[in-house]
Amino acid sequence: FQVYEQGSTVPEKSYNRGDWQRGYESLEKEFDYWIDDVEGEIPQELQGTLFRNGPGLLDIKGQRIHHPFDGDGMISRITFSNGRAHFRNRFVRTQEYLEEQKAGKILYRGVFGTQKPGGWLANALNFKLKNIANTNVIYWGGKLLALWEAAEPYRLEPYTLETLGKEYFNGVLSEGEAFSAHPRVDFSCAQDNGAPSLVNFSIKPGLSTTITIFELNTEGKIVRQHAHSVPGFAFIHDFAITPNYCIFFQNPVTFNPIPFVLGMRGAGECIKFQPEQPTRLIIISRNPKQKGVKIIETRAGFVFHHVNAIEREDEIVIDSLCYESLPEVQPESDFRQVDFDALKPGQLWRFHLNLKDETVHRELLVSRCCEFPTLHPQKVGRPYRYLYMGGAHAESGNAPLQAFMKVDLESGKQQLWSAAPHGFASEPIFVPRTPHIPASQGGTKGGEDDGWVLALVYDSEYHRSDVVILDAKDFHKEPIARLHLKHHVPYGLHGSFTSE
Ligand code: 3ON
Ligand code: FE
C-alpha cells in the first residue's frame, strides 16, 4: 500500500503497480506436477480439464517484446480428477518460437509493436508476422486447438500439450488463413437437429472487409461456411451468436499502413479510433442460404468482448463490454508503466437492436471496470440470468482486474470476490455441476448458477499463481479451494473447460 498523510484526500489504491508488473514476468520453464499445496478442498464432482492460453514470454532472452498481445502462446492445463489436480504447461512450438529460441533474439515483428532489433530499417517492408497462437485454447471434435485471430490454429496433443502442427480442417482453411480466437458453441443447433455446433469466423480486412462464418459439427468437421463483404476496414476480435444470427461490432477505426510498411510501427499500432464515426452493428444469418448482411449504426465506442446475445421478438439483445475509445498502443511506451488512472474502464452495456426499425438503444448494466465475461455454456445465444467476469476492486475508476463479479441480470444484484491487495485476476470460467443435460430434457438442473467458477489469480506476495475455485452460487463465501502453483503464470487471455 502507498502511504498518504493523514487527512489526505487521495484514496488508497487497492494495488501496488510494482506488484501488478511482476505478473508480466516471463515463465520460461515448463512444468508437470500434481498440485499438493491446496487450501480448502477440491470438489470430488469437479472432473475435467481447464485449459488456459496467454503470453508465456514477455521477452526473448532478455529482449523485451513491446506488448503482451505479442507474447508467445503458452498453454496451461489443470486437470481435476477425484479431488486432486494436476498442472502442466507447454509453449506452442510454432516455427517462429523455435527459431527465436534457437537464435536467442527477436526475429519477427509482432502485430502490437514488437520490432526486430536494428531500428526501422531492419523492419521496413517486412510483412511476415509471427503466428503466436496465444489467445485462446479449445477442445473440439477431439482436437485441442490454440487460437490466434490473424492466422490458422495450432493443434496440440491434449494430454502432453505437444505441438502437432497447424490445423486446416481437411483443407478447408488455406495457408495463413485466419480463424478467430473467439468461437462460440451453440449447445443445441437447429440446423443440426439439436446437436452442438461450434460457430467461428475469420476477418480479412482491407478497403472492404470479408467476414467468413464457419460452423463445425461435433466431429470437428466444417459443415457450413459462408463469406460476406462489408464496407470499410474492420478490426473485430469477438462476436456473439443467437440460434439464427451472428452479430459483429465494427468499431469506428481507420488503418493507416504507412508506419507499418516503413518499419516504424506494428500493424496494430496503425489503427486509429474515430470518435466522430458511428459503430456499425453487423447482423449475418447463420443459414448459408440467407444472403446479405444487415447493418445498423449507433454511437461510437470500442468493444473487444461480448457476453451473450438473445433473440426477443423484433429485437436482438446483446450484452458487451464497451470502452469509450480504443486503448491505443503507443509506440514509444512501456506497457508496464501504464497509467491506469489515465484510461477509461471497460463497462458492461446492453444494446437493444431493433431489427424492424433498425434502431439501437443502449443501457449501462455495470459501471465498475470489468473484462473477460463468461456464462453457463448452455445459455450461449439464449435467455440467461447470470454472467461472471473479472472486475476491479474499486467500484469506480480504471484499475487492473483484482476481483471476480457475478451479475444477476434478473434482479440487477451483483456479487464480488476480491483478491486485493496482492492478488490479480484473469478470465473466469463457469463449470456447471451437472453438464450435458440436453435442452429438451430441461437444460440446466439445479439452477443456472449451480457450479463453480474457476480462474487463475496471480498472487504477487508469493510471486505465484493460484487456481481459485469459487462457488458460483455465492461469491461472498470464501473460495471452496485455492490451489497454490509452484510458480506464477503470466497474465493470460482466454481458455475453456472440458469434462471429456
Ligand atoms: O490490419 C489488421 C489489424 C490487426 C489489428 C491486421 C491484423 C488482422 C493482423 C490485425 C491483428 C489483430 C490481432 C492479432 C489481434 C490480437 C488480439 C489479442 C491477442 C488480444 C486481445 C485482447 C483484448 C483484451 C480486451 C484484453 C484485455 C486484457 C486485460 C484486461 C488483462 O490485463
Ligand atoms: Fe478476447
Side-chain angles (χ1 to χ4, degrees), residues 176-193:
E177 192 176 340
F179 191 74
S180 113
H182 276 288
R184 302 260 169 184
V185 176
D186 177 348
F187 190 73
S188 174
C189 173
Q191 291 187 83
D192 297 331
N193 300 313

Side-chain angles (χ1 to χ4, degrees), residues 81-318:
S81 160
N82 306 320
R84 297 190 69 198
H86 182 272
F87 179 89
R88 171 172 284 157
N89 71 307
R90 289 282 182 277
F91 280 90
V92 185
R93 282 169 169 67
T94 63
Q95 188 198 318
E96 295 89 342
Y97 166 86
L98 293 170
E99 287 173 24
E100 289 191 328
Q101 289 304 305
K102 203 167 157 211
K105 59 179 183 193
I106 295 173
L107 301 174
Y108 292 92
R109 301 176 78 184
V111 171
F112 293 94
T114 302
Q115 301 278 50
K116 297 201 287 175
W120 67 272
L121 262 176
N123 291 278
L125 304 177
N126 188 324
F127 306 127
K128 176 121 184 42
L129 296 175
K130 178 177 170 187
N131 177 352
I132 43 179
N134 72 354
T135 313
N136 201 350
V137 53
I138 56 163
Y139 184 70
W140 186 258
K143 291 173 183 166
L144 186 68
L145 301 172
L147 306 176
W148 184 64
E149 69 196 66
E152 63 272 75
Y154 267 90
R155 183 171 171 196
L156 312 167
E157 205 291 317
Y159 186 76
T160 61
L161 302 182
E162 182 195 335
T163 301
L164 301 174
K166 292 177 184 171
E167 177 65 35
Y168 296 99
F169 304 107
N170 263 321
V172 177
L173 293 189
S174 51
E175 210 192 319
E177 192 176 340
F179 191 74
S180 113
H182 276 288
R184 302 260 169 184
V185 176
D186 177 348
F187 190 73
S188 174
C189 173
Q191 291 187 83
D192 297 331
N193 300 313
S197 173
L198 181 131
V199 190
N200 201 10
F201 66 96
S202 75
I203 296 293
K204 206 172 157 205
L207 293 177
S208 65
T209 295
T210 305
I211 303 178
T212 305
I213 315 252
F214 305 97
E215 298 216 13
L216 283 72
N217 67 9
T218 49
E219 268 90 64
K221 195 170 163 241
I222 296 183
V223 289
R224 285 180 287 281
Q225 180 185 357
H226 41 114
H228 305 264
S229 178
V230 296
F233 174 83
F235 170 30
I236 301 176
H237 175 71
D238 189 12
F239 77 145
I241 62 165
T242 65
N244 292 299
Y245 302 103
C246 295
I247 303 106
F248 300 86
F249 277 37
Q250 186 181 13
N251 301 296
V253 294
T254 50
F255 180 69
N256 169 11
I258 293 165
F260 171 64
V261 172
L262 295 181
M264 299 161 92
R265 286 176 177 228
E269 293 171 305
C270 298
I271 296 176
K272 209 169 157 33
F273 186 70
Q274 304 293 334
E276 307 305 321
Q277 299 294 316
T279 290
R280 290 202 196 115
L281 312 186
I282 300 167
I283 301 143
I284 301 178
S285 171
R286 281 178 57 193
N287 182 344
K289 291 193 194 98
Q290 215 103 61
K291 307 278 176 219
V293 302
K294 200 181 200 46
I295 296 177
I296 309 182
E297 294 193 345
T298 185
R299 217 177 83 194
F302 197 94
V303 171
F304 279 104
H305 295 128
H306 302 285
V307 191
N308 200 19
I310 60 176
E311 292 172 26
R312 200 193 259 171
E313 287 153 20
D314 294 335
E315 276 187 352
I316 291 175
V317 175
I318 174 162

